[in-house]
Amino acid sequence: MKTAVIYDDVYLKHDLPSHPENALRLKYFMEPVYELGIPILKPKQVSYELLTAVHEESYVQDVIISCRERAPGFFDPDTYYNSFTCDSALMAAGANEFGVELLLEGKYEAVFCAVRPPGHHAERNRAMGFCIFNNVAISALKALSMGVEKVFIVDFDAHHGNGTQHAFYDEERVFYFSTHQYPFYPGTGSVSENNSHVLNVPMAEGSSDREFLEVYSTLFKRAVEDFSPEIILVSAGYDLHEDDPLTDLKVSDRGVEGIVTEIVDSALSLGVPLLFTLEGGYNLNALRRCSSITFKLLIHS
Ligand SMILES: [Zn+2]
């Protein structure tokens, strides 16, 4: 697949070295991108209109003013900010907007938004779980605004993407598929929340490659084929890895390879573009290996 990465050093400026979601993560993640020679494009800042369609304007203004006047601080007990956080978050959302433009204009077949802060916990009116703006929701809404009628989001982060599910709970043009450790943070993601276009697949603590590959080769594959989207968006959270310090899943490098292979194969068989956005992943070496696995699959498929 013709693949590009969207990245900017601004994503390193949102940082708190003692926190698991720190800038080193993205440095490790980017190493294979440079080694493999994948084209790197600069993001644009997200359009205010799109951002305020996903988030309440009063919340967006609170983020901007907090970073400008009250930094450093915390939006919630997990989610820090410094004076650069707003720039990073606006450019992370902007990468997700720009990535969809590139894909729908046919310039690339796959785009990976290598961004921080992550996004899938961010709710309409609040930051949560290391996330400020909901990057993948920005991508989905951008695709709809460009005339796409069906968007499929697959979220393999170890945590449930509560913000993403809530953003599109009543939007039948967006399918949300998530595997996540359950019960676990943030507490949402049970099967009782499923509807015609939300499919949560809770995974027990200790779930391994076998359980995940069973889900991705059956439930995921069937859901994406039945929905027949025009674009597939991926909340790529590599904290499902067995080496991750924050979670209790047992997915190996091979398991990650298997999951990403199923996603890539689905996009190829439907002939639709693929946008990844980085969510979690807190073991630096595992994150670097997962990056390498993902990009090798993309460029060789
Ligand atoms: Zn996570």
Side-chain angles (χ1 to χ4, degrees):
M1 298 182 94
K2 191 179 178 198
T3 302
V5 168
I6 306 179
Y7 169 81
D8 192 281
D9 288 341
V10 72
Y11 302 137
L12 306 177
K13 292 185 172 180
H14 164 68
D15 192 24
L16 182 61
S18 61
H19 193 282
E21 204 295 283
N22 60 57
L24 260 186
R25 295 180 58 239
L26 196 52
K27 288 187 176 167
Y28 274 66
F29 185 83
M30 286 297 290
E31 281 180 18
V33 175
Y34 295 118
E35 284 163 16
L36 294 165
I38 295 168
I40 299 171
L41 309 176
K42 292 263 186 199
K44 300 184 277 195
Q45 192 166 302
V46 66
S47 71
Y48 194 72
E49 189 187 4
L50 183 59
L51 184 62
T52 52
V54 171
H55 294 284
E56 280 179 14
E57 188 166 16
S58 58
Y59 167 62
V60 172
Q61 284 302 320
D62 183 58
V63 170
I64 293 170
I65 291 164
S66 294
C67 295
R68 199 181 289 157
E69 297 177 6
R70 295 193 278 270
F74 281 80
F75 289 121
D76 84 344
D78 300 317
T79 313
Y80 65 87
Y81 63 91
N82 64 18
S83 55
F84 299 105
T85 294
C86 189
D87 294 337
S88 297
L90 291 170
M91 293 291 256
N96 276 261
E97 180 180 20
F98 183 41
V100 169
E101 287 172 7
L102 291 168
L103 292 168
L104 295 183
E105 287 164 4
K107 291 181 177 152
Y108 293 92
E109 295 164 295
V111 167
F112 203 120
C113 299
V115 300
R116 296 179 56 255
H120 74 155
H121 294 306
E123 294 278 3
R124 186 165 176 80
N125 59 0
R126 68 189 171 105
M128 186 174 155
F130 319 163
C131 302
I132 315 280
F133 299 136
N134 195 315
N135 301 318
V136 79
I138 294 278
S139 281
L141 206 57
K142 178 67 179 179
L144 295 178
S145 79
M146 289 181 73
V148 166
E149 287 176 7
K150 284 191 280 183
V151 177
F152 194 98
I153 302 173
V154 49
D155 184 335
F156 63 73
D157 189 280
H159 303 93
H160 180 242
N162 55 289
T164 312
Q165 175 176 299
H166 294 155
F168 301 112
Y169 205 67
D170 298 317
E171 174 51 85
E172 292 182 351
R173 293 176 297 171
V174 179
F175 197 108
Y176 180 65
F177 178 95
S178 176
T179 47
H180 43 272
Q181 184 176 334
Y182 187 89
F184 200 49
Y185 183 89
T188 51
S190 80
V191 293
S192 69
E193 297 159 25
N194 291 352
N195 63 26
S196 62
H197 58 100
V198 169
L199 182 50
N200 287 305
V201 186
M203 306 298 286
E205 179 183 327
S207 294
S208 64
D209 293 358
R210 193 170 52 83
E211 287 87 6
F212 271 86
L213 294 179
E214 170 75 19
V215 167
Y216 277 87
S217 63
T218 58
L219 294 176
F220 164 74
K221 206 171 180 146
R222 209 175 304 143
V224 74
E225 278 171 11
D226 288 352
F227 191 69
S228 190
E230 292 150 73
I231 188 168
I232 297 174
L233 312 178
V234 187
S235 268
Y238 296 100
D239 48 7
L240 81 172
H241 195 280
E242 59 189 349
D243 293 346
D244 198 273
L246 300 190
T247 67
D248 312 296
L249 297 172
K250 296 283 169 257
V251 178
S252 72
D253 288 13
R254 292 285 303 269
V256 170
E257 184 174 18
I259 292 166
V260 177
T261 299
E262 289 290 351
I263 293 170
V264 170
D265 285 353
S266 291
L268 288 172
S269 72
L270 290 167
V272 301
L274 196 49
L275 181 137
F276 286 74
T277 191
L278 183 63
E279 303 283 1
Y282 306 99
N283 177 294
L284 297 172
N285 289 315
L287 187 58
R288 179 169 50 200
R289 293 200 305 278
C290 289
S291 166
S292 176
I293 288 164
T294 302
F295 286 110
K296 283 178 181 165
L297 281 169
L298 287 173
I299 62 177
H300 295 138
S301 292

